[in-house]
Amino acid sequence: MKTQKIIFILGLFISFLTTYGQEVKVLSYNIKYDNVNDTVNNWNDRKEAMVELLNYYEPGIIGMQEVLDHQLTYLDENLSDYTFIGVGRDDGKKKGEYSPILYNTKKYTLLKSETFWLSETPHEISVGWDASMERICTYGVFVDIESGKQFMVFNTHFDHIGTVAREKSAELIVTKIKEINSNKLPVVLMGDLNLSPNETPIKFLQGALTDGQSITKKPFYGPTGSFSGFDHNRVLNNRIDYIFVENFEVLEYIHIDDRMENNKHISDHLPVFANLEMKN
């Protein structure tokens, strides 16, 4: 009996080790690039509130869009325990907007990262198809420090004009995921896709992956839409920011409509938050 009891306790302990640390809190956020002409919604008036929001929700992984180098530097310096991956889309270094992934170094270790361009030549700095400008996707392979489990995160920002570019960008990213993810790791794809849910590229992504909002265990919470345009009186029904998953359960999915004291939005997009759990 004593031996059986020891085996039972060991079994519980092993079960605990294999499940602990599998939850991954992710957040996608178009932070609005620092445009010097934004006198009313200037970055300097928004950045402290943004750090407060991120510190409150404590996502382990943050995918951002429209991030200029000095904005990324500010966030990196003011968010403790985080570092980032990603490059500027104009030169593959620091010029132009990033689509960076910030991650909590106390929770996750980075194994691999890369940025590719959404174009016919993804490994070269390039404008794809009918896009108005360079567009990129940054991805990382991470290890959960507690559980040792690996997962992948892709973060992107689709073009706002090119119809063909958005269709081809969705196809390219799915092809990349299939090529890279030979071990069938859990995958997150998030970003500002500049598309509503009924448009063809979103339908394509919903077929290849799973729209996190559609499988959330807790009911979806927040406004239907994710784009505010800084209009605090606007009805928020334009959903263009998404978190897609593969081999993850979605425990909750939220469009966060937190605002500053003056009722202004912190960005012209709402953050999209999802609490995920890796499937065994």
Side-chain angles (χ1 to χ4, degrees):
M1 289 294 292
K2 191 173 182 180
T3 302
Q4 289 178 331
K5 188 175 181 180
I6 291 171
I7 292 172
F8 176 73
I9 293 171
L10 283 172
L12 287 176
F13 181 67
I14 291 168
S15 175
F16 170 78
L17 287 178
T18 56
T19 57
Y20 182 74
Q22 292 183 34
E23 285 191 15
V24 183
K25 293 180 179 180
V26 302
L27 185 142
S28 179
Y29 203 178
N30 182 324
I31 69 168
K32 178 65 165 68
Y33 78 98
D34 183 9
N35 185 340
V36 294
N37 296 318
D38 285 338
T39 55
V40 177
N41 301 297
N42 190 273
W43 165 249
N44 290 319
D45 298 328
R46 305 185 286 114
K47 60 186 182 181
E48 291 181 8
M50 187 173 292
V51 168
E52 289 176 3
L53 182 150
L54 295 171
N55 281 330
Y56 179 81
Y57 288 95
E58 296 183 319
I61 303 285
I62 307 167
M64 289 184 167
Q65 304 87 38
E66 288 197 28
V67 188
L68 299 180
D69 186 69
H70 68 277
Q71 292 176 290
L72 187 56
T73 298
Y74 173 83
L75 293 167
D76 185 47
E77 290 175 348
N78 287 275
L79 292 169
S80 59
D81 303 326
Y82 287 84
T83 190
F84 67 88
I85 56 174
V87 298
R89 68 188 184 190
D90 290 5
D91 65 353
K93 297 176 183 177
K94 294 186 176 184
K95 186 179 178 182
E97 294 177 13
Y98 292 64
S99 290
I101 299 172
L102 291 72
Y103 64 97
N104 188 320
T105 57
K106 289 189 174 181
K107 294 183 176 181
Y108 307 111
T109 300
L110 178 70
L111 291 183
K112 176 184 178 182
S113 68
E114 183 184 1
T115 295
F116 58 90
W117 277 256
L118 302 180
S119 75
E120 300 92 327
T121 54
H123 297 293
E124 299 175 7
I125 301 165
S126 49
V127 177
W129 305 287
D130 59 346
S132 61
M133 60 191 73
E134 295 88 350
R135 298 289 184 175
I136 54 177
C137 179
T138 295
Y139 78 86
V141 182
F142 298 93
V143 178
D144 182 301
I145 293 172
E146 292 289 348
S147 69
K149 292 183 177 295
Q150 299 180 21
F151 62 97
M152 305 183 71
V153 178
F154 290 74
N155 177 48
T156 192
H157 187 185
F158 283 5
D159 198 67
H160 64 300
I161 291 177
T163 302
V164 174
R166 290 194 292 266
E167 292 179 0
K168 294 296 185 182
S169 294
E171 293 172 5
L172 174 62
I173 290 174
V174 169
T175 298
K176 281 283 187 182
I177 291 172
K178 290 178 179 178
E179 288 177 357
I180 299 165
N181 193 22
S182 58
N183 294 326
K184 304 297 182 183
L185 300 176
V187 175
V188 176
L189 166 61
M190 57 182 162
D192 172 5
L193 304 187
N194 277 309
L195 291 159
S196 60
N198 61 345
E199 295 186 78
T200 300
I202 298 299
K203 295 293 185 184
F204 171 78
L205 290 172
Q206 289 170 338
L209 303 167
T210 302
D211 183 346
Q213 189 188 90
S214 70
I215 61 168
T216 178
K217 292 187 176 181
K218 279 187 178 180
F220 165 73
Y221 185 78
T224 302
S226 61
F227 180 71
S228 73
F230 284 119
D231 183 353
H232 63 274
N233 293 315
R234 177 191 293 229
V235 176
L236 298 177
N237 56 11
N238 185 12
R239 184 188 182 205
I240 59 175
D241 302 87
Y242 300 83
I243 297 174
F244 290 91
V245 298
E246 183 176 63
N247 292 325
F248 275 107
E249 302 284 354
V250 180
L251 305 181
E252 57 183 336
Y253 194 104
I254 303 170
H255 288 169
I256 300 172
D257 190 14
D258 292 358
R259 307 189 187 190
M260 295 185 285
E261 288 287 339
N262 56 12
N263 200 38
K264 288 184 179 180
H265 290 281
I266 301 171
S267 177
D268 59 348
H269 290 244
L270 303 186
V272 181
F273 175 87
N275 187 12
L276 312 176
E277 186 174 61
M278 285 186 261
K279 293 181 179 179
N280 290 323

